[in-house]
Structures are given as structure tokens and as C-alpha cells.
Amino acid sequence: MSLPKPELDDLTFEQLISEARGLIPRYAPEWTDHNISDPGITLAELLAWLTETSLYRLNLVTERHVRKYLQLLGISPQPIKPASVELSFESESDVELKKGQLLWTELEGERICFELDHPVKITTSRLVRVVTDEVAGVFDRTDSNNEPELFFAPFGEATMDGASLYLGFESPSDVVNLFIELYEDDLIPPGRHGNEPYYDFENATLVWEVYKEKDQQEEGHWCEIESESIYDETGGFKYSGRITLENIEKWKEKTLPFFDDDGYNLYWLRCRLKKSSFEYPPRIRTIRLNTVRATQGRTIKDAETFNGTGLPEQIYKLSHSPVLKGTVELYIEDEKWMERPDLYGSGPQDRHFCIDHKEGKIIFGDGLMGAVPPDGVDIVVKHYRTGGGTTGNLPAGLQWSVEGYPSVRATNYSPAEGGRDEESVEEARLGFLKDLRTPYRTVTSEDFEYIARNTPGLRIARTKAYVKEKTVYLVVVPYTPLEEFKRPPEPSDGMLNAICRHIDSHRLVGTCFEVIKPDYIKVYVSMKIKAKTGTDEDILRERIIRRLNTYLHPVRGGSDGGGWPPGEPVYRSEIYRVVEGIEGVRCVMDVRIRGEKGAYTDQSGNLILPGENSVVYPGSHSILFLKDQERCRKDG
């Protein structure tokens, strides 16, 4: 029996030449001689023969060949990936759970197992009050914190220095585990560039404090928690994550001076904004206690033993599959063997093995690529983890059980996400082709702008690169979800430093560059409007001002709605176009544009910005409505 021949395309010579003849009347109707003697038909037959030959050669390329070609390019299909979830625990007594603690839930009759990523101490204390001191006012945000559809700004929208977030607990505890879920529905995704990790940067200085007793005195005081006792995954409220505060001692009850109600006599934690340079105010959807991340999978701790045969390419199947990457611990004669993605780079004496993660198979070398386990030797797999895939992507609101702790309950208030099946060779190939189009070297201005805009972990709305005196200057406009603001969004020094580090790792040798803040220009527009009959002038004025503010918005403005391009003038004709498209406007006359900080108006009434790093933002606008007897006439 012959081996099956792969068929990438089943077109034969006859089918190819027949298709070519059928296309001749469409593209060359004057060509009427389709006989074999015609030189054009001879050329078509030649091309059909070449195409059939190419198809034959392509049919000899199997998936194994493609996998090897990708490997030579440094690309390997990604193995199965487990999902992760944030679990909130409740217990009637304090309980300490270790890393790797097994949990499970049931969905449609199937038990799905997860394990804790971190140790956690579950306490009985409850968070009963959330208060924000926004400097301009003090507000109780408890209802917003308990309602998943709402959110609140812990330091207010102005994020002024000295603003504070107060968390009130009904009982003291030496450890507080907080999970901060931020409201990010109106934000753009954080930047990504290949597989590079997020850049850590500081855009605010936060101080965590606890109200404690004074020695031999009744009155307490606010005491700062040492940084060594704080574990913060949020990066200072930049991302959703866990904040753990440890070694809290002598916690004392206190009534906040802002309220006279006895319900505010609690054990208080305070997060004080010491120095603010937020690009946009963080917003919190909810703060939950006793919450920790868990990853799908189960550790098989029972050792599995196989007997070596001494033959090349030995294969042994584990009891459970799929197997997660890098979790197999294998010993032969008390010597640990190492897992490798493949054995192509292994030598005859290298004690390596590879894993078929989907099938759960251990594969050894052939004596040339990878050592061969001797005959009769015990191959001991001490432990490994099984799980992963899309089965771990679970909906929110499930109830969980904890192995060995029947009184502990857990709930996932957000869905489990991130689980993925093993990547196919075709998916890896398409991913490689997409990656080829991604700039990784700063050669052109577009390269600088793309790489800066996609700095991992940063949310950047717009960038512009320009050259001046042999130096590349890069203007960065950070993203903000606010439609109106008193202060336009500026990148913090920490953000600029992160962008510099990212560009520096991708720049050409000898390239000088500088990342700078935008020079914001406040723009004022005045105009005369003739409204349509029956239109309410007050409503129309608000509509026009709102539309102008949107058009002049540094992040959402511009002709394309993607933010105002740095250095771009404000054209008078564009103001006419924007306002005339508003419902209720009959005509627009006498538009005048004015700007601050050196911006000037040219002969055509356009506002020219003073520099290439200048970016506009809206000021106050003047709208004057014409009387009914005045005719519509554009000025200029």
C-alpha cells in the first residue's frame, strides 16, 4: 500500500488550460483563434504546465515541513494555555491558603479545576464604607462600590494632590487583601509590541496609611505602612489587580471628621495622593476583599514510572492530558532531565525530552538528537500539571469549593478568561506573516510613531515624529476618556521615561531622539449663526459648543476623530463644515478663531500654531444668533 499523497490543490493541466481559454473572451474579445496552432494558446499551455509543476512541488510540502521552516525562523506554535480567574473568598474564621491550593467548580456536570497563583489569608473583616476626599468635597462612595454598573474616581476627576481614598472595616486585621477592579470600558487597550512585557512606570505617588493607637495615649494618629509590607499589582491604580497590605498592628477605631453618623466609627485605611501626575483619573468599578487569582489546571502529585527500552525515539503517555508547558519534572537514575520544545538542537549526550502537550506524550531522542534512556531503567515523572484550553473560560457568578476547607466559599464575580487551545501550524504561519509587517526598528518617522504609540502597557492616543537639528523629536499625547477637562492630558515623567526606554531598545545605532510633551494651545471660536425657524436657541447653542469642543479635543478631535494632529492648524473652512452639519443651523457667518501662547491668524482666518509640537484644546466659545430679517451670507 502506497503512502497517501497530500493534495494542496487538485487542479490538473487540462483544467488549467480550459480555465485560461474561458477567460480569453472576457479580457481579449478580439482574440478569436483558440486552436493549438495559435502562439497565444501555446504560451497558455506553457504557463499551465509550469503551474501544474509548481502544484506538484507544493504537494510534497507537508505540515511537518512547514513546522520546521517556522522553527528556523524562530517561530513555534503556541502550546495550550490555561485560563485565569479572580476568586473572592468568604469564611467564618481566618484561614490561610497556600499557593497551588486546589479549587473546583462544576459547569454542565463537568468538574473544572483551578489552583491558586498566590498564598492568601482570608479574614472575617468586611469592607463596609468607601469614602473619597476629593479636596473640593467629601463623598460616600459605598453604594457605587457595591453596584457593579457604577464606578467612582478614588481621587476625583481633578486628581489634586492631597486627595484621599478611605476604606472602613468593621473589625481589625493584620493583613488586608484588596482586589481593585477598574472601570476601563471607555479606554483603549494598553499598548502591545510583539511579546514584550509591560513597562513599569510611576505617574503618581501614593501613600497607604492606617489609623493606629499611640503608646499610652487614647488619641490615635495616621501611620504610614512601610513599602516592604505593600504588594501592588495595580501599579498605582493603572491596571486592575490585587493590593495586599501586611503587618498592620495596633489598628484603632476612628470616626471620620466629615460625618457625624456612628456608622462611620470604623477601622480605617487611607490611600493618600501625595503627588499626582495621572494622565487621566483612575476610575474604580469595585473593591473586593479576600480576592486572589487562580489558574486552570491540576497538579498530578502521584509519581508515574515507565520502564526504558534502550531504543531510539521512545514515547510514553502520561495518565492525564493535556499537559501544561514546563510543568513536567522527570528523573532517570536520580538525575533530572530537561524539557525542550524540540530535540533538533540537542546532542547525543544531552538529557532532554519534549512533550506532545495535547496528547500528554513524553518523547525522547534518537541518540543523535537527544540522549536515549537505557534499557530497563526507571523513568520517573514526579509531578506535572494538566488542564488548559477553552474549557477554562467560565462565566461569572459560579460557586467554588476548596479542597480540604469545606467551610470556605468562593465566587468569581468576573468571568475566567485567557484559556486557549494549542495553536495550529497554520495559525502560527499567519501570525508570523502578521508579525513581519510590524515595525521593530526606528527607520522612518512612521516607525518612531508606531513603536512609541505601542509601548507595552501605556495608553497613548497620538504621536508625531519630526526632525530638527539632527535629532528626532517625538510628541506624545496620552489617552484620556474625559470629554471635558480643566487641564489637558499630559504624559507624566514616568510615561516619557518608559517610552524612551522602549524606543532606545529599537532605535538604530547613532540615532538621537527626544520624547517631549505636547505644547497645548487653548482655542476660542466666535461666530454668528442663523438658526432654522422654530429652533430653540439655547439648546442649539449648547449643541454647537459641544460639537466644537469635540472637534478641538486633543484625543477625540480632528477631522478623523482620532485626536488633533500636533502642529496642525485650525482651518476656518473646517469650522464652517463642522457647525453647518449640526441640526437646526441654517447658516454660519463671521467665524473667528483665536489661540493663546503665540498662535496667530493668517489672512484667510486660519489659526496657525507656533510649533510642530503644538496641540489644540477647546476654550470658551461665543455664539451670536442673527435676527430673522438678516440674510445668510458667509464672510470671506
Side-chain angles (χ1 to χ4, degrees):
M1 179 178 178
S2 62
L3 293 175
K5 185 180 71 172
E7 293 288 350
L8 301 180
D9 201 329
D10 58 357
L11 290 177
T12 63
F13 172 83
E14 289 77 12
Q15 291 172 321
L16 290 169
I17 193 62
S18 176
E19 182 179 353
R21 283 177 173 170
L23 293 174
I24 291 174
R26 181 187 302 178
Y27 294 103
E30 65 278 6
W31 183 358
T32 57
D33 186 3
H34 300 168
N35 295 314
I36 298 177
S37 58
D38 185 78
I41 297 299
T42 302
L43 287 175
E45 289 181 341
L46 176 61
L47 294 174
W49 175 76
L50 291 173
T51 303
E52 185 185 43
T53 303
S54 299
L55 291 175
Y56 170 76
R57 293 182 178 276
L58 285 174
N59 284 334
L60 299 179
V61 179
T62 64
E63 182 179 293
R64 186 176 179 182
H65 290 90
V66 177
R67 185 184 294 270
K68 181 59 181 177
Y69 296 151
L70 290 174
Q71 188 180 47
L72 293 174
L73 295 169
I75 305 297
S76 297
Q78 295 297 315
I80 194 168
K81 183 181 178 182
S84 61
V85 66
E86 300 291 343
L87 294 177
S88 300
F89 293 87
E90 292 183 4
S91 177
E92 298 178 356
S93 59
D94 291 355
V95 175
E96 292 189 18
L97 301 180
K98 297 181 179 180
K99 178 182 178 180
Q101 174 68 50
L102 182 65
L103 316 101
W104 66 83
T105 186
E106 292 189 358
L107 184 66
E108 298 180 355
E110 180 183 359
R111 174 176 289 191
I112 303 174
C113 297
F114 280 66
E115 291 180 340
L116 291 185
D117 289 359
H118 310 278
V120 60
K121 182 178 180 180
I122 303 170
T123 63
T124 57
S125 182
R126 294 191 307 118
L127 176 64
V128 294
R129 292 286 183 185
V130 178
V131 176
T132 60
D133 179 4
E134 304 175 12
V135 180
V138 180
F139 305 94
D140 188 327
R141 304 296 189 184
T142 306
D143 292 339
S144 298
N145 185 65
N146 296 333
E147 177 56 53
E149 300 300 324
L150 302 178
F151 62 89
F152 64 95
F155 309 113
E157 289 192 355
T159 61
M160 299 174 62
D161 294 352
S164 299
L165 169 68
Y166 292 85
L167 304 178
F169 300 85
E170 63 178 5
S171 59
S173 175
D174 60 338
V175 176
V176 176
N177 288 295
L178 304 172
F179 178 75
I180 311 297
E181 183 181 353
L182 299 181
Y183 177 81
E184 300 177 330
D185 294 357
D186 57 351
L187 299 181
I188 60 175
R192 289 188 178 277
H193 196 204
N195 296 322
E196 298 182 37
Y198 281 9
Y199 282 88
D200 184 23
F201 70 98
E202 185 177 286
N203 58 358
T205 303
L206 304 178
V207 178
W208 284 92
E209 299 170 316
V210 60
Y211 194 75
K212 301 175 66 172
E213 297 177 353
K214 280 187 176 180
D215 295 339
Q216 299 179 353
Q217 295 185 20
E218 294 183 0
E219 187 178 356
H221 69 294
W222 289 103
C223 182
E224 181 179 346
I225 301 176
E226 299 294 333
S227 59
E228 294 79 8
S229 301
I230 301 175
Y231 173 74
D232 186 1
E233 290 182 345
T234 70
F237 296 101
K238 290 193 289 291
Y239 318 107
S240 297
R242 188 166 59 102
I243 298 178
T244 300
L245 309 172
E246 299 178 338
N247 303 322
I248 302 176
E249 300 176 349
K250 299 181 180 180
W251 206 346
K252 182 179 175 62
E253 284 183 293
K254 174 182 175 59
T255 300
L256 290 183
F258 319 114
F259 305 97
D260 297 330
D261 192 342
D262 293 338
Y264 294 90
N265 185 30
L266 299 166
Y267 296 86
W268 291 97
L269 276 176
R270 180 171 72 178
C271 182
R272 181 164 52 87
L273 184 58
K274 186 176 181 180
K275 183 179 180 181
S276 171
S277 53
F278 283 114
E279 287 77 22
Y280 58 87
R283 286 88 44 84
I284 295 178
R285 190 192 298 272
T286 185
I287 302 176
R288 293 195 291 269
L289 286 181
N290 300 328
T291 300
V292 68
R293 184 181 297 110
T295 300
Q296 184 198 4
R298 179 167 61 94
T299 300
I300 307 300
K301 301 178 181 179
D302 298 332
E304 298 185 20
T305 304
F306 308 95
N307 192 257
T309 63
L311 299 176
E313 298 183 343
Q314 299 175 43
I315 298 177
Y316 302 97
K317 191 176 188 313
L318 296 170
S319 302
H320 303 274
S321 61
V323 176
L324 295 178
K325 180 182 179 181
T327 63
V328 176
E329 188 170 335
L330 185 147
Y331 287 83
I332 298 178
E333 295 180 338
D334 296 329
E335 185 174 359
K336 186 176 181 180
W337 287 46
M338 306 305 296
E339 178 184 341
R340 291 289 184 267
D342 55 66
L343 301 174
Y344 293 112
S346 302
Q349 303 301 323
D350 290 333
R351 292 168 171 80
H352 297 163
F353 65 93
C354 59
I355 298 288
D356 182 339
H357 298 94
K358 183 177 181 180
E359 300 296 331
K361 294 179 180 179
I362 299 175
I363 305 171
F364 290 98
D366 57 2
L368 296 176
M369 294 182 293
V372 176
D375 183 21
V377 73
D378 286 338
I379 302 171
V380 182
V381 178
K382 290 191 174 182
H383 61 78
Y384 60 96
R385 291 192 74 226
T386 181
T390 56
T391 56
N393 297 331
L394 304 175
L398 299 177
Q399 299 301 313
W400 296 72
S401 301
V402 183
E403 184 182 47
Y405 298 90
S407 62
V408 178
R409 301 174 300 278
T411 305
N412 63 309
Y413 292 99
S414 56
E417 298 175 332
R420 185 190 64 208
D421 293 330
E422 186 176 25
E423 187 179 38
S424 66
V425 174
E426 179 62 18
E427 290 172 336
R429 187 184 70 85
L430 294 176
F432 170 70
L433 294 176
K434 180 180 179 181
D435 190 65
L436 281 178
R437 295 188 289 271
T438 301
Y440 286 99
R441 279 290 173 262
T442 54
V443 179
T444 65
S445 297
E446 290 76 14
D447 295 338
F448 271 95
E449 294 169 359
Y450 178 89
I451 292 175
R453 191 169 58 252
N454 289 276
T455 302
L458 277 61
R459 291 184 170 96
I460 299 174
R462 196 125 194 178
T463 56
K464 179 183 178 181
Y466 64 93
V467 180
K468 185 178 181 181
E469 297 179 355
K470 298 182 180 181
T471 299
V472 179
Y473 290 90
L474 191 66
V475 187
V476 174
V477 180
Y479 183 82
T480 179
L482 300 181
E483 296 182 3
E484 300 179 2
F485 40 74
K486 296 180 180 179
R487 177 174 58 88
E490 287 192 353
S492 63
D493 292 340
M495 172 179 276
L496 294 178
N497 182 266
I499 299 171
C500 282
R501 283 182 284 154
H502 185 55
I503 294 179
D504 187 60
S505 63
H506 295 278
R507 70 181 177 91
L508 296 176
V509 176
T511 304
C512 297
F513 72 94
E514 184 177 346
V515 183
I516 60 176
K517 298 180 180 181
D519 180 24
Y520 282 108
I521 307 295
K522 183 177 282 190
V523 175
Y524 308 87
V525 178
S526 61
M527 63 180 64
K528 296 178 181 179
I529 298 294
K530 185 72 176 292
K532 293 182 180 179
T533 304
T535 302
D536 188 296
E537 291 185 356
D538 292 334
I539 295 177
L540 182 57
R541 178 180 283 107
E542 292 180 4
R543 196 179 298 163
I544 293 172
I545 292 175
R546 191 183 310 115
R547 184 67 185 90
L548 286 173
N549 289 343
T550 301
Y551 178 70
L552 297 172
H553 197 283
V555 172
R556 302 182 180 183
S559 57
D560 60 353
W564 196 269
E568 181 78 12
V570 183
Y571 293 106
R572 194 181 183 199
S573 59
E574 285 294 302
I575 299 296
Y576 275 112
R577 181 187 63 81
V578 167
V579 178
E580 286 179 342
I582 298 174
E583 182 181 358
V585 174
R586 183 177 178 183
C587 66
V588 182
M589 295 193 299
D590 194 21
V591 172
R592 298 186 181 183
I593 311 171
R594 179 171 59 88
E596 297 179 342
K597 300 170 67 173
Y600 64 93
T601 306
D602 64 7
Q603 295 180 349
S604 301
N606 305 315
L607 184 67
I608 308 301
L609 304 185
E612 293 190 73
N613 63 329
S614 300
V615 179
V616 306
Y617 74 104
S620 58
H621 309 302
S622 174
I623 311 298
L624 177 64
F625 287 94
L626 300 176
K627 298 178 181 179
D628 291 339
Q629 60 268 24
E630 296 188 53
R631 296 181 179 180
C632 284
R633 178 182 60 82
K634 286 186 179 180
D635 183 24

